[in-house]
Amino acid sequence: MNQSIISYTKELEYDKIYIMSGEIGLYEKYGFIKLGNYETIDQLFVQDI
């Protein structure tokens, strides 16, 4: 995960990053946890920062 995105998210005082994606197996490599498959957004991932 791009360090600048993580830094910016911390500046905003968020504690999680959420990503919607149709990519399979990509975000798990960066520490994201798949929350599930959804008809409207493909897959939803979360990562604690």
Side-chain angles (χ1 to χ4, degrees), residues 7-35:
S7 297
Y8 181 66
T9 305
K10 287 181 180 180
E11 283 179 31
L12 297 175
E13 299 182 358
Y14 292 116
D15 59 352
K16 297 180 188 291
I17 297 174
Y18 291 89
I19 295 180
M20 299 179 296
S21 175
E23 297 294 327
I24 297 172
L26 176 64
Y27 293 103
E28 293 92 337
K29 293 178 186 177
Y30 296 103
F32 283 83
I33 298 170
K34 183 177 173 182
L35 295 178

Side-chain angles (χ1 to χ4, degrees), residues 2-3 6 10 19-22 36 41 43 49:
N2 189 327
Q3 188 61 38
I6 294 171
K10 287 181 180 180
I19 295 180
M20 299 179 296
S21 175
I41 58 171
Q43 301 176 85
I49 54 169

